[in-house]
Structure formats: structure tokens, C-alpha cells
Amino acid sequence: MNIKDFAEKLRDALFPKDITCDLCGAEIFDGEHFCRACASTVIFNDGTVCPVCGRKTAKPEICMECKADAPKYKRGASVFVYSGGGAKLILKFKDGASYLKDYIGGLMAEKAKALAKCDCVTYVPVTKKRRRERGYNQGELLARAIGKELDIPVVQALEKKRETPQQKSLTKAARLDNLKASFAIRDRAAVKGKTVLLVDDVLTTGATADEVCRELLIAGTKEIYFIAAASVEYTPFKNDK
């Protein structure tokens, strides 16, 4: 048993998933995932959204970013708004709390049911180095939870060939340039002629999803639908951040 597995088993023993808040660890005993204080900080993306990218919007219409530069997937959706408790939950999941895959993945599967029926599920890959450091690829864990819930196969269609610099402060155009030639198709036969559900943890500018979709389409994928655990709310006049 490696250190990460031991730490996870120890944490689960000290803070059982069914009786503690998934954010702060406080005892709750009511079958919910968050205590009252943490629940007030989590925004579910259940209101008005862009019908293309699926991000939270002020009005139920296509956001200006999708109008100006439509994503390469047909439609997208997400469970949480990436702010406050929603962002904290995703960061916790990425930083060792792999058990959250079942809760988050289950919610994503429900969202995905509103998209088209897909032939298979795939996910945004990470480099082998990053996977070793973290112990898992969060996208893969979510994809497997979704595939199990929807009863469709999960395929490792892509690989990430190189690490990319931090992108937090970059515009979408700069992110796309940063991501060039970083992804490659690993299993062309698994996606050729298929309708694919692409899974990722967070949608910000959409640059990563677009670059991955580009590779999938070159490989002959018929259509792509996109599901993220969380997405940044669309705010007009953000200078394409």
C-alpha cells in the first residue's frame, strides 16, 4: 500500500464519508454532503446557462464567447459553479480526496443524461509525471464513475505528451497557444465514427476542451459532448480571460 492509499484509508476512518461534511469534515449525521455553513457556499449550476457551453449566465441565451468562437463540442454542461465552496470541493478532490469521485461523478452523470446519447466516455489526460505525483487522474476517476452510471464504456483515447505552464492568468488565445501539440490520440479506433462524451474537472476559458476536441475530431470522432464537474460563470466583458 502506498502512502496516498494509506492516508486515504486513515482519513476515511477518522472522517467517514457518510457522517461528515465533504468540505470541512464537520459531523452532520443527516445523509447530506455538506454542513449548513458549507452548503451556503456551494453554487449548483442549475439556473440559467449558455445552451452551448453550459456555463452559468445572467440570461438563458448563448454567451458572447460561444457566439464569437463556438467550442468544438456540440453541447456542454457542468454541475457546480467554480467559485466558493464549489471550487474548494474540486480542489479538495484534486488534492487527494479521490473518494469524492462517486458523489461528483454521480451528479455529472445526471447532467449528462440531458445531453445526447453517447457511445463512449473519455477524459482529458494528464502527463505520466503528474499522474504519479497525484496518484490518479481526476478526470479519469470521474469518467469511470459516469460510465458506470450511464452504462457506457470508458476509453483512454488520448495522452498528454508534455507538461504545460500554469494557465490561470492567460487569455483563451494564449492558453490555446500554450497547449499546442501537448495532446495526442492514443486509441483512434475507440473514437472513430463515435459520439463521445468528454469529461474534465473544470471549464474556464474552454481552451483545454477545444484542444482535446480538435484531436478527437481529427481522429474521426463523429460528435463530442462535454461535461465538467464545475465551470466558471460567464461574465461579459472579461477581456477573454
Side-chain angles (χ1 to χ4, degrees), residues 141-161:
L141 295 186
L142 294 173
R144 297 200 178 282
I146 294 167
K148 182 179 180 180
E149 182 70 23
L150 299 181
D151 194 26
I152 53 178
V154 178
V155 298
Q156 187 181 350
L158 302 122
E159 62 181 344
K160 191 171 185 182
K161 300 187 294 182

Side-chain angles (χ1 to χ4, degrees), residues 128-199:
K128 291 179 180 179
K129 177 184 177 183
R130 180 60 58 86
R131 196 183 192 288
R132 284 196 303 270
E133 291 172 348
R134 184 170 289 150
Y136 56 89
N137 174 6
Q138 67 276 6
E140 180 181 0
L141 295 186
L142 294 173
R144 297 200 178 282
I146 294 167
K148 182 179 180 180
E149 182 70 23
L150 299 181
D151 194 26
I152 53 178
V154 178
V155 298
Q156 187 181 350
L158 302 122
E159 62 181 344
K160 191 171 185 182
K161 300 187 294 182
R162 63 178 180 84
E163 289 289 351
T164 48
Q166 286 288 330
Q167 303 199 119
K168 292 180 181 179
S169 62
L170 300 180
T171 64
K172 182 175 181 178
R175 288 183 182 217
L176 282 169
D177 188 60
N178 193 27
L179 289 164
K180 280 182 180 177
S182 61
F183 298 107
I185 289 294
R186 182 178 183 272
D187 188 350
R188 187 178 301 271
V191 295
K192 187 174 182 180
K194 304 286 183 63
T195 298
V196 174
L197 179 63
L198 175 63
V199 174

Side-chain angles (χ1 to χ4, degrees), residues 2-241:
N2 62 38
I3 294 175
K4 284 185 179 289
D5 289 340
F6 175 77
E8 185 171 333
K9 286 183 178 296
L10 179 62
R11 184 204 56 243
D12 289 346
L14 295 173
F15 303 103
K17 298 190 287 290
D18 56 345
I19 63 172
T20 59
C21 173
D22 282 336
L23 277 178
C24 70
E27 293 183 347
I28 45 179
F29 299 105
D30 59 3
E32 299 297 327
H33 285 270
F34 309 114
C35 66
R36 288 186 180 182
C38 288
S40 68
T41 70
V42 177
I43 302 173
F44 286 86
N45 194 24
D46 293 333
T48 55
V49 299
C50 169
V52 179
C53 67
R55 289 188 294 167
K56 176 179 171 61
T57 55
K59 298 179 181 180
E61 58 187 28
I62 299 175
C63 70
M64 292 302 296
E65 289 183 16
C66 286
K67 286 181 179 179
D69 185 16
K72 291 180 173 58
Y73 52 83
K74 298 286 288 186
R75 281 184 61 201
S78 56
V79 174
F80 303 103
V81 176
Y82 193 67
S83 64
K88 183 178 177 181
L89 183 72
I90 302 306
L91 291 172
K92 181 177 179 180
F93 171 53
K94 293 171 68 171
D95 195 30
S98 59
Y99 68 89
L100 288 171
K101 66 183 185 298
D102 296 321
Y103 171 56
I104 299 172
L107 293 174
M108 292 172 74
E110 285 301 311
K111 282 277 186 177
K113 290 176 182 178
L115 303 174
K117 182 174 176 58
C118 295
D119 299 308
C120 62
V121 183
T122 194
Y123 49 90
V124 174
V126 296
T127 61
K128 291 179 180 179
K129 177 184 177 183
R130 180 60 58 86
R131 196 183 192 288
R132 284 196 303 270
E133 291 172 348
R134 184 170 289 150
Y136 56 89
N137 174 6
Q138 67 276 6
E140 180 181 0
L141 295 186
L142 294 173
R144 297 200 178 282
I146 294 167
K148 182 179 180 180
E149 182 70 23
L150 299 181
D151 194 26
I152 53 178
V154 178
V155 298
Q156 187 181 350
L158 302 122
E159 62 181 344
K160 191 171 185 182
K161 300 187 294 182
R162 63 178 180 84
E163 289 289 351
T164 48
Q166 286 288 330
Q167 303 199 119
K168 292 180 181 179
S169 62
L170 300 180
T171 64
K172 182 175 181 178
R175 288 183 182 217
L176 282 169
D177 188 60
N178 193 27
L179 289 164
K180 280 182 180 177
S182 61
F183 298 107
I185 289 294
R186 182 178 183 272
D187 188 350
R188 187 178 301 271
V191 295
K192 187 174 182 180
K194 304 286 183 63
T195 298
V196 174
L197 179 63
L198 175 63
V199 174
D200 201 6
D201 55 353
V202 180
L203 173 69
T204 49
T205 65
T208 299
D210 259 16
E211 185 63 17
V212 171
C213 285
R214 188 179 72 82
E215 293 293 335
L216 288 170
L217 291 169
I218 291 172
T221 300
K222 181 181 177 182
E223 285 185 337
I224 305 165
Y225 291 83
F226 178 75
I227 184 77
S231 60
V232 174
E233 180 178 358
Y234 168 70
T235 304
F237 314 117
K238 287 177 62 179
N239 297 320
D240 198 29
K241 288 289 184 67

